[in-house]
Amino acid sequence: MLSKSDRFGYVSPFATALPWDFLLLGRALAPLLTKKLPEHRYIDKVQVNADSPQEDEIALANMTPLSFYHGLYFPKQFDHYFQRGVFFDHTNATDIAQWQRDLRYLYDKLALAQPGRRLLIKNPVYTARPAMLRTLWPDAKFIHIHRNPVKVFLSMRNFYTALFAQFALQDWSHVDIDRVVLETYARMMSNLRAETKDLTKNQFVELSFDNFQSDPMAQIERIYDHLDLPDLDADRPVFEGYLESVRDYRKNSFTASDEVKEKVATHWGEFIRHWGYEDQI
């Protein structure tokens, strides 16, 4: 939603597909690439078009071996690729330094393509590494949106199932998706809490997904206020127009079994209590 303001730059579908070449080749091939875009995202019914903001993870998977998407492509070694791509396990300082150079290169090109705009990046993987991002960009600001953990679990189960079906080049039936989701969320959230606890109000803001869904403009106001972002009054009509355009959108809906609720309560109890979801499990 924030990307609708022309104050923010973002990762386009062309930058995702052609991270090395989107400034030149991407522009030349734009008409062809636009025709090849999927109608909507593979994991839900959010429409995709030529200016739809994308997460940068697929772009990085096209640039570097350190991305969990390689585990989706080659699931015979899913755990190896996944742990390397999310937590940098089984890597060394040289591997990480190269990933950082590639990330800087990508962001420099995005900034060049969108001059004068502050880059707005959405990537759930970065929940696991705010400290590293702060070393690269000390003035970075972070927005974290938490959600009922049961709904997170069901959403992530759908995410991996859908993307394996779409991208896997090998059999993936051996991958225990529930285990992956349970272990990854706990480790990510522990990292997030530890590595953001010293951030000031204008560097980090945390929102409830339910609050964002029920009153998005109030949460946008909170983001602008906490992070000291300018000119909300100028951006407000853009946000309100976008909200009107998606008024009829219906997100995925999943039903949680008692088994799922028990799994989530057992593995993520610390986070359920931290964000006050005890009555929703």
Side-chain angles (χ1 to χ4, degrees), residues 272-281:
I272 291 169
R273 292 186 294 274
H274 177 70
W275 286 302
Y277 288 106
E278 295 95 327
D279 295 338
Q280 300 182 41
I281 304 301

Side-chain angles (χ1 to χ4, degrees), residues 33-247:
L33 294 173
T34 299
K35 292 180 181 179
K36 296 297 183 180
L37 290 173
E39 180 181 354
H40 53 74
R41 301 193 308 187
Y42 296 123
I43 59 173
D44 53 31
K45 297 302 181 183
V46 173
Q47 290 185 339
V48 176
N49 51 51
D51 61 356
S52 296
Q54 305 296 306
E55 296 174 6
D56 63 350
E57 191 65 27
I58 294 182
L60 290 169
N62 289 333
M63 301 174 73
T64 169
L66 296 184
S67 170
F68 78 92
Y69 269 90
H70 296 301
L72 296 175
Y73 304 148
F74 304 107
K76 283 186 178 180
Q77 299 185 66
F78 176 80
D79 282 346
H80 172 75
Y81 288 125
F82 185 86
Q83 298 302 329
R84 279 171 55 88
V86 176
F87 299 110
F88 290 155
D89 293 346
H90 318 299
T91 63
N92 55 45
T94 301
D95 295 331
I96 295 172
Q98 183 60 55
W99 179 87
Q100 292 176 339
R101 285 192 293 271
D102 291 338
L103 183 67
R104 281 189 179 276
Y105 179 80
L106 175 63
Y107 287 7
D108 285 347
K109 291 183 70 172
L110 291 169
L112 183 63
Q114 302 165 96
R117 298 188 179 196
R118 183 171 193 136
L119 286 184
L120 181 69
I121 304 296
K122 174 183 176 289
N123 187 341
V125 171
Y126 295 155
T127 309
R129 57 182 83 137
M132 178 181 291
L133 295 176
R134 291 168 61 191
T135 65
L136 296 173
W137 293 282
D139 295 328
K141 298 176 185 287
F142 297 86
I143 302 169
H144 176 236
I145 301 177
H146 60 80
R147 189 182 186 187
N148 181 332
V150 169
K151 293 182 179 180
V152 171
F153 177 87
L154 295 172
S155 177
M156 292 310 300
R157 178 192 270 177
N158 173 70
F159 172 89
Y160 287 111
T161 301
L163 292 192
F164 271 128
Q166 188 66 37
F167 294 138
L169 301 174
Q170 301 167 335
D171 177 66
W172 54 275
S173 60
H174 63 285
V175 178
D176 185 345
I177 292 176
D178 286 6
R179 176 188 62 81
V180 172
V181 174
L182 290 168
E183 293 179 356
T184 302
Y185 179 92
R187 190 172 172 188
M188 275 188 167
M189 294 305 156
S190 294
N191 284 8
L192 176 74
R193 291 179 62 189
E195 296 180 8
T196 59
K197 62 184 179 182
D198 64 328
L199 289 177
T200 61
K201 173 185 172 182
N202 69 351
Q203 292 177 292
F204 179 76
V205 61
E206 196 164 58
L207 314 172
S208 157
F209 179 86
D210 290 341
N211 289 344
F212 200 100
Q213 183 173 252
S214 63
D215 192 350
M217 276 310 306
Q219 298 307 304
I220 291 293
E221 291 170 3
R222 185 161 179 254
I223 291 171
Y224 270 66
D225 176 58
H226 272 251
L227 301 183
D228 291 337
L229 300 177
D231 301 321
L232 174 59
D233 288 342
D235 290 338
R236 188 185 301 274
V238 177
F239 297 144
E240 291 175 343
Y242 172 73
L243 289 171
E244 178 63 24
S245 74
V246 297
R247 182 176 57 179

